[in-house]
Amino acid sequence: MLSVLGGTVNTLIDSTFVSRNLDSSALAAISVNMPVFLALCMVGSLFGVGSFIASSHALGASKVEDAQAYYHSAILFSVLFSLGFMAVGFFFPTQVANFLTNDPSLTDMVTDYCRITLIGSLPYILVYIPTYFLQLSGRTKDMTTMTLIMVISDIILDWLFLFVFKWGIAGAALASVISTLAAAVFGFLRLHLHDHIFRLRLRHFRLFGLKNIILFGSSAAIGNLMDVIRMFVLNMIIYSASGTQGLAIWAVVNSLLEITLCITTGIPRTAAPMLGIYIGGHDNEGVRSLVRLQIRLGLMLTFLFGLTAVVFHEPIGRFYKIRLDMLVPFICLGLSVLQEVLCSILGSYFNVAKRVFFSNFIMVIRTFVFPILFAQICYYFNLPVWFFLPVSMTVTLLVTVLIARSQSIMTRGKDHELSPILLLDDYLEKHNQVKAFSIVSSNEAICQASADVIDFCLENGMDRKTGTKLGLALEEVMTVMVQKSLNKENDPVDVRIFSYQSTFGISIMCSGKEYNLFKEAFENQEDDFNMGVQMIQKISKDCHYLYSLGMNILTVEF
């Protein structure tokens, strides 16, 4: 969750240092420049999120080479697009600044910030890729280190460029570019040196899977695109309603919204690859459990954030040198993030569940249509313009639930009836073709699980020979895992037995150090310890091993 701040924390730090070193006009200039920054985020998230989800699906299907190709393809596309942004920064920064603002007092500062941001677009776009793929590799400590590198270096460089060298707003922009570059370099180095799947290899650099990358990345990209347009339009509405002081307040509110991204975006992003594995394996109970966990955690954290912002609205205003009362804007902010985290969780879920159109629809109304509509209504009726924040999120959530509910109702009475809200097909569960449970990694629990497998096979019309095969597979695999200390004794291990599409199988998921017992058995065939696993490999249809998200995932199919 904290790593999500890495992509946007620069703006928060820049706003803080600029507010302490310069005046409110400079703070307003940063707010005006937000569409440029969000445009870079749009491209970065398109290729980062798209390749991330596509790779997780490929890994779930044991297609490692496809996952590698998606990773390298995303890097290649990111570099190509950043060259276009750099050209605009070199040759047309004044034209971009004039498009963003018609206030002559802001034009020069907007131009300086815009020029450096666009010329330094490459790290802003590329940083998304190592951030996501470190998560997919289960390297959360490296993700945290990336964020720390970005935050600490940006703070140091902002202080140096603004307070020592007196470079003004251009120094703040340059500090952001350099700190983002440092974080991106660290992330790619960690992947290259310590991950056998996502190591940079020249032969993998090709234009691969663009359709899937765009499909899965479209929701995040559309969200950032809508943010670009929304910021541009809202800047004009707020400027018309409250002038430069209103834009300064809006810059502070935006800075706090950037902080909430670690909750509203961080929670669903963290869950996305696990959801992909559950959905790919038709594990509906796992999906429901993970969605419930996201909702509980999201509501708790956003409530605490909103309460803190309201209680400390005066000190925050004084820190940013804002003289106007900020209680109403902060109350609206606190109320809005409660609904926003729910909308974000549902939108991300539908994207991973391959309901991309519905996910994109939620993103458009959440980030653009309703915020602009209700901001304009507030301005027209001379209401506090900040009311648009909670109202737009509330309406978005209601519309999302109503549409999902209506799609569920349309399937009633059919064999593959969809569940309310999440639209899950529980056909396998209703016909007892899947069974999921957790066990502890002890010999007694393993024997009981083996017996459960045999019972499951008999209940699904399989012969006892097939059931014995599956039971043996579970018993042998689990025994090796326990003896190799992959999982601490009494730690839970997720087990799933399935029967669909003429395939019977068992899937085991556990945390612990990486250990491919199938590869070990193949390479050390003389070792008596591996005889049981070798026998399973001979009698099974296929054996898959995957280490992702810090977990060992093993699947045996018959």
Side-chain angles (χ1 to χ4, degrees), residues 328-396:
V328 173
F330 279 20
I331 290 176
C332 293
L333 171 68
L335 293 174
S336 69
V337 293
L338 281 170
Q339 287 95 289
E340 184 172 7
V341 71
L342 297 177
C343 296
S344 182
I345 289 170
L346 290 175
S348 176
Y349 161 75
F350 287 122
N351 188 43
V352 177
K354 300 182 181 180
R355 298 182 182 276
V356 179
F357 178 81
F358 191 20
S359 175
N360 291 346
F361 173 78
I362 296 171
M363 185 66 71
V364 170
I365 64 174
R366 176 171 72 92
T367 60
F368 178 71
V369 176
F370 289 151
I372 296 298
L373 173 63
F374 290 108
Q376 188 63 45
I377 290 174
C378 291
Y379 173 64
Y380 181 81
F381 288 102
N382 201 27
L383 298 171
V385 71
W386 317 110
F387 283 2
F388 85 87
L389 287 167
V391 174
S392 61
M393 288 302 138
T394 301
V395 175
T396 299

Side-chain angles (χ1 to χ4, degrees), residues 515-534:
Y515 181 78
N516 188 343
L517 73 170
F518 298 135
K519 181 180 179 182
E520 178 71 18
F522 178 78
E523 294 178 348
N524 299 282
Q525 298 187 14
E526 303 301 322
D527 190 345
D528 293 340
F529 182 76
N530 295 318
M531 288 182 60
V533 178
Q534 292 168 9

Side-chain angles (χ1 to χ4, degrees), residues 234-250 324-325 329 379 382-386:
L234 286 178
N235 283 342
M236 292 191 296
I237 296 175
I238 293 172
Y239 181 77
S240 299
S242 307
T244 304
Q245 283 292 324
L247 282 178
I249 294 176
W250 180 227
L324 299 178
D325 184 12
Y379 173 64
N382 201 27
L383 298 171
V385 71
W386 317 110

Side-chain angles (χ1 to χ4, degrees), residues 98-119:
N98 289 331
F99 177 76
L100 293 173
T101 180
N102 55 7
D103 189 339
S105 65
L106 300 178
T107 302
D108 290 341
M109 288 186 289
V110 172
T111 301
D112 290 341
Y113 199 90
C114 176
R115 178 188 290 112
I116 295 174
T117 301
L118 287 172
I119 292 175

